[in-house]
């Protein structure tokens, strides 16, 4: 699988990585730790046309300016895999970024994941996944709920994660607002 995301920069990258470390130390959760870096995902597909995806994302980066997102608490996705996440508040700049990525990537994607489409996409930052079972979930939520998650995070990039299953995955990063 490949994904198009915005990587979080410091201090929020470090804050999320610290949460990952705490969840690993206290609950033994390792589903996210070491596989990636903190990010917001816009699009996921089996693959993208390698000859065109770089230009497509460079075009998105040129067209978009840096913007801020806000988080507002914890959430849980349940399905084949339970995911505990930090909820990102919807906003016009975030919707514009998602739309630009979706429009640029979908025509050159093989097997795009429809859950990332505008009607179903839930912007979020993953805190735990994979080995988060029914016993650990309520304990992890209780543990994490001792904090307030009203963060304002600068979004300055769009990135291609070349293989979401490798650790560490190779990333291509494009800075927003660049003219090169």
């Amino acid at each position: 699988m490949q994904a198009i995301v915005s990587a979080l920069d410091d201090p929020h990258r470090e804050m999320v990585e610290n949460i990952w470390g705490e969840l690993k130390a206290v609950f033994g959760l390792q589903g996210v730790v070491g596989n990636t870096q903190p990010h917001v995902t816009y699009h996921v597909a089996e693959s993208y046309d390698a000859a065109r995806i770089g230009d497509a994302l460079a075009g998105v980066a040129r067209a978009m300016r840096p913007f801020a997102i806000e988080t507002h608490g914890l959430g849980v996705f349940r399905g084949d895999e339970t995911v505990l996440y930090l909820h990102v508040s919807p906003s016009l700049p975030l919707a514009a970024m998602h739309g630009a990525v979706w429009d640029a990537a979908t025509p050159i994607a093989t097997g795009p994941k429809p859950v990332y489409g505008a009607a179903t996409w839930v912007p979020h930052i993953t805190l735990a996944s994979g080995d988060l079972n029914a016993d650990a979930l309520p304990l992890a939520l209780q543990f994490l709920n001792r904090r307030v998650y009203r963060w304002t995070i600068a979004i300055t990039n769009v990135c291609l994660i070349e293989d979401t299953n490798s650790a560490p995955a190779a990333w291509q990063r494009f800075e927003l607002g660049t003219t090169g």
Side-chain angles (χ1 to χ4, degrees):
M1 297 300 278
Q2 294 183 302
I4 301 171
V5 306
S6 283
L8 303 189
D9 293 324
D10 286 332
H12 296 95
R13 177 198 56 79
E14 185 176 325
M15 292 164 69
V16 171
E17 288 177 346
N18 287 339
I19 292 169
W20 291 351
E22 289 176 14
L23 291 172
K24 179 180 179 182
V26 174
F27 302 102
L29 301 178
Q30 298 186 41
V32 175
V33 179
N35 289 341
T36 189
Q37 60 185 331
H39 63 274
V40 175
T41 304
Y42 305 109
H43 199 283
V44 175
E46 291 174 21
S47 65
Y48 299 100
D49 181 333
R52 297 169 57 198
I53 191 63
D55 288 341
L57 294 182
V60 169
R62 278 191 303 275
M64 299 296 299
R65 298 291 171 258
F67 61 96
I69 59 172
E70 294 186 359
T71 62
H72 66 266
L74 302 173
V76 176
F77 295 128
R78 294 186 187 263
D80 292 341
E81 182 175 276
T82 300
V83 176
L84 174 59
Y85 64 89
L86 185 58
H87 201 291
V88 175
S89 301
S91 69
L92 292 176
L94 182 60
M97 178 71 160
H98 178 262
V101 168
W102 189 263
D103 291 347
T106 302
I108 57 174
T110 300
K113 301 301 175 192
V115 71
Y116 290 94
T120 53
W121 177 59
V122 177
H124 67 280
I125 300 164
T126 300
L127 299 179
S129 66
D131 55 356
L132 184 63
N133 61 40
D135 294 330
L137 178 60
L139 298 172
L141 281 166
Q142 182 180 21
F143 178 79
L144 291 176
N145 270 326
R146 61 186 166 53
R147 298 188 183 118
V148 175
Y149 297 99
R150 294 217 172 262
W151 300 349
T152 300
I153 302 171
I155 298 297
T156 62
N157 61 78
V158 61
C159 303
L160 172 67
I161 304 176
E162 295 182 11
D163 181 356
T164 61
N165 296 317
S166 69
W171 290 49
Q172 290 183 48
R173 181 175 170 135
F174 303 85
E175 298 300 321
L176 300 185
T178 58
T179 57

